[in-house]
Amino acid sequence: MDMKKSIKIIISYVMVLGLAATNTGMFNANAYDDVAVGKKLAKEIGIQIDSDESARELTDLSLINAREMPDIILDEDNAIKQINGLVSDVTVDSVKDVKEVIQNVSNLFGIDNVDNEIQFNRLDSSLYNDTYDFIQYYDGVKVENAHIKVVVDKDTKKAHFLNNSYVSDLSLDTTPVISGDDAEEIVFNTYNTEASEDTKLVIFEDQEASEYKLAWHVSTKSCEPCNVYINAADGSIIYAEMNTEDYDEVPTTYTSYQNPLLLNPQNPILNSTSFKVDISKEDTKYILHDTKRNIYMLNIHTDCTQIAPFMAVSTTTPSASSNYAHLATLYNVEKTYDFYSKLNWKGINNQNSNICVIAEYDPEENGSFPNAMSDGNVLYFGVGGLVEGKGCKATQNWGTELDIVAHEYTHSVTRNKVNFDCYGLGNGEARVLNEAYSDIMAEFIDETPEWQHGTDQYINNINKNTCDPKQYQTRDIAGSTLKYTDSGFSDLEFHKKSVVISRAAYLMDQFGISREDNARIWFTSLDYLTPNATFADCRTALVNAALQVAKYWTYGERMDCMYKVKTAFNAVGVMDPTDKIGDVDLNGTVNSADFNLLVDYCIGNTKFTAPVQKYLSDVNFDNKLDISDLVLLKSMIS
C-alpha cells in the first residue's frame, strides 16, 4: 500500500567511492570526479539519470549535507518525489532565491526552463517555516495538481525540504479543438447544471488511459457533479467528480441549548467586539459583523461582496435576548479564528479577508439541511438531523457545535494552504487527509477535548468518533484496532478512513506530547504537503514538523518527540519501510542478539547509547518498553 521508497546514504569519499586523496590521506576536494560520484549515488538510490548535470546535482546535494545524502524519497516510477534535507546552500530572502534553489536541482526533476515551466503561486509564513508553492505550466497551460513546494527554515533561511509533483516529459498539443463554451454545453446537456465560474483550460491526467490530456475544467453550480473535465480534443468526459458526501446519523430528540458563555456579561470574546445588526427588515434577514476579526454571520444566503446593502447604521452589543444559535455560531467561528491566529495564520486564507458564515443554511427551504460545509470562502451550517438517511425537522443548529465549526473552518484553511485533491483521484488518500486534518485541528480547538465530534451542545449526540469508527457513538476509544494495513480498509468510506490519521494524533497526545505542541506539529506539517499527498507523505511531514517545533529543545527531548510521532504512525500501520523495527543493536538484522540486549535493558543491566534504539525496540508501538515487547520480539525472531 505504501509506495514510498526512502534511502539515506553515508558517503565516505575516500574509502567508499575511491576518490582521490593526498599523500597525507586527507581528502582533496579538487581531485575527485563529481560526475562519477553522482552516478554512483544515483545507482545506490535507484534512479536513472540522463545527464552529467543531474549527476553533479546529486553530488552537490551530498556536499551541502556534510557528505551525507539527504533522505531521497521516490515515487512509484522511481522518480525523485521529495528531498528531505538541505536542498541548496542559497540564502533565501525572495521568490527569486527560491527559483535559484529549484534551478540547482532542476535536472533531477526534468525541468528544462524554470522560468517558463513553473510559476509562483503563494507564500505561506508559519511559526517556523516560509513555504513557497509553485505551479507547473506547459506551453502556458496549467498542469492540474502539479506543484513544487520548497520549505525554508525561517531562522537559517535555507531550504530544508522540497516536495515535487512536477510532471516531466509532457508532449501534447495545447490548442483546443472545442471551446470552453462547448465544454459547458456538454456539461449542461449531460448533467443539467451550469458552470459556476469561468471554465479553464488545463492539462489533466486521464488515469484510465494513463496519459495527460488537454481538458476544460468546468466547475458546476449544483455540485452534482462538482467538477467535470472535458477532453478539449473530442469533447468526451475524462472525469466527473460526484458529490459523495455521507451524512452521519444522529438522534432525533434534542435538549434545549443555551450556551452559558453567551449569557455571561464578562464574555471575553463577544463583549469585547462591536456588532452591526440589522433586524429591521420584515423578512427577518440580518447580519452580525465582528469588526475585529472581519467575520460576517448571516442568516441569509448571499455573497460576501453583497453584504453592504444589508448593513444597518446602528452598532450594538448582543444581549441574552438575541438568537442563541446564531450568537453561538459566531462565537465558535471567533474561537477558531483566535486559535489559528496564535499559529500565525490570519483568517481562512492568511490574508485576513472577509469570513462569510451562513447560519441556518436551508437551500431546499424545507426546514432541514442536516450538515455543515465549506467551499473555501464561505462556511455553511444547516439545521436538523437524520433518520434513516432522511431529513427531519429538529432543533439542532450545526453551527452551535464548536468542533463542527472548527472542522469546517479548517477545511477552508487547508484548501488555501494545501488545496488537497478532493476529487478522489489517484489512491484518494489526499481526500482522506483533508478530512483527517479537519477532525484533528477541531479537537485541538474544542473546549471539551474528548476526540469526538458533536458533543458540545448535545452531550449524547456524537456525530463522529475521530479515533475509531468501530466505536461509533460511544466514548470508548481505548480499544481501537483500525489500521491502514487492515484488510477491508480500502473499502471504507473516506470519512471513516480518515480515522487512521486522526488516531495517530490521538496517540501522540497519549504518548505525552502536549496539546499545544501537538497542534503546532500538525499545523506545521501542512507546510510539507502538496495537493496529491499520501499517508506516507503525511508521516514524513509530521516527522519534519516535530523536529521544527522542537528544534530549540534539548537533543534528547527533540529525539523523544520525533520518535513519539513515528511510533504513533507505526501503531496505525503507516510505517517507514526503511525502519528495521526490532533491530535493537543497530546491526541491520533482527536476531537473538537483539532480544538479549532488550532483556538487559529492561532489567537495568545496560543502557542504550542512541535514542533510536528505544524506538526500534518498541515493537508493539505503545511508546513503552516492557514484557510485551520482549514476547513480540521473540516471536518475530522465531
Side-chain angles (χ1 to χ4, degrees), residues 122-127 129-131 154 337 340-355 376-377 409 412-417 523 527:
R122 63 179 289 136
L123 165 64
D124 286 330
S125 184
S126 65
L127 292 172
N129 300 317
D130 286 328
T131 303
K154 294 182 78 168
Y337 177 101
Y340 276 107
S341 292
K342 293 178 181 178
L343 294 172
N344 200 35
W345 186 269
K346 301 299 183 184
I348 58 178
N349 61 2
N350 207 26
Q351 298 175 14
N352 218 25
S353 302
N354 290 348
I355 300 175
N377 297 308
Y409 191 109
S412 291
V413 171
T414 54
R415 179 168 179 172
N416 284 287
K417 190 171 177 63
F523 185 69
D527 293 346

Side-chain angles (χ1 to χ4, degrees), residues 312-470:
V313 295
S314 61
T315 298
T316 185
T317 299
S319 66
S321 62
S322 300
N323 184 305
Y324 290 123
H326 295 171
L327 289 178
T329 300
L330 181 60
Y331 170 83
N332 290 336
V333 176
E334 291 170 328
K335 287 284 290 185
T336 307
Y337 177 101
D338 290 351
F339 171 86
Y340 276 107
S341 292
K342 293 178 181 178
L343 294 172
N344 200 35
W345 186 269
K346 301 299 183 184
I348 58 178
N349 61 2
N350 207 26
Q351 298 175 14
N352 218 25
S353 302
N354 290 348
I355 300 175
C356 196
V357 184
I358 309 298
E360 296 185 353
Y361 181 61
D362 184 16
E364 301 297 327
E365 297 185 353
N366 62 2
S368 179
F369 180 76
N371 203 0
M373 62 184 184
S374 161
D375 69 1
N377 297 308
V378 182
L379 306 177
Y380 302 85
F381 300 101
V383 292
L386 286 180
V387 180
E388 296 179 355
K390 297 180 180 180
C392 66
K393 292 185 178 181
T395 58
Q396 174 159 324
N397 184 307
W398 287 55
T400 60
E401 301 284 358
L402 177 57
D403 44 18
I404 290 176
V405 170
H407 177 104
E408 299 305 332
Y409 191 109
T410 300
H411 274 318
S412 291
V413 171
T414 54
R415 179 168 179 172
N416 284 287
K417 190 171 177 63
V418 179
N419 195 24
F420 285 116
D421 171 19
C422 293
Y423 301 150
L425 302 177
N427 60 12
E429 290 183 3
R431 186 177 196 180
V432 178
L433 290 175
N434 186 51
E435 287 301 319
Y437 271 89
S438 281
D439 285 345
I440 292 163
M441 299 308 291
E443 284 303 322
F444 296 139
I445 298 167
D446 193 353
E447 294 172 317
T448 55
E450 69 289 277
W451 296 91
Q452 296 170 355
H453 277 197
T455 57
D456 294 330
Q457 175 180 346
Y458 308 108
I459 200 67
N460 294 318
N461 297 358
I462 297 172
N463 176 261
K464 181 194 293 185
N465 183 322
T466 58
C467 289
D468 187 3
K470 296 178 181 179

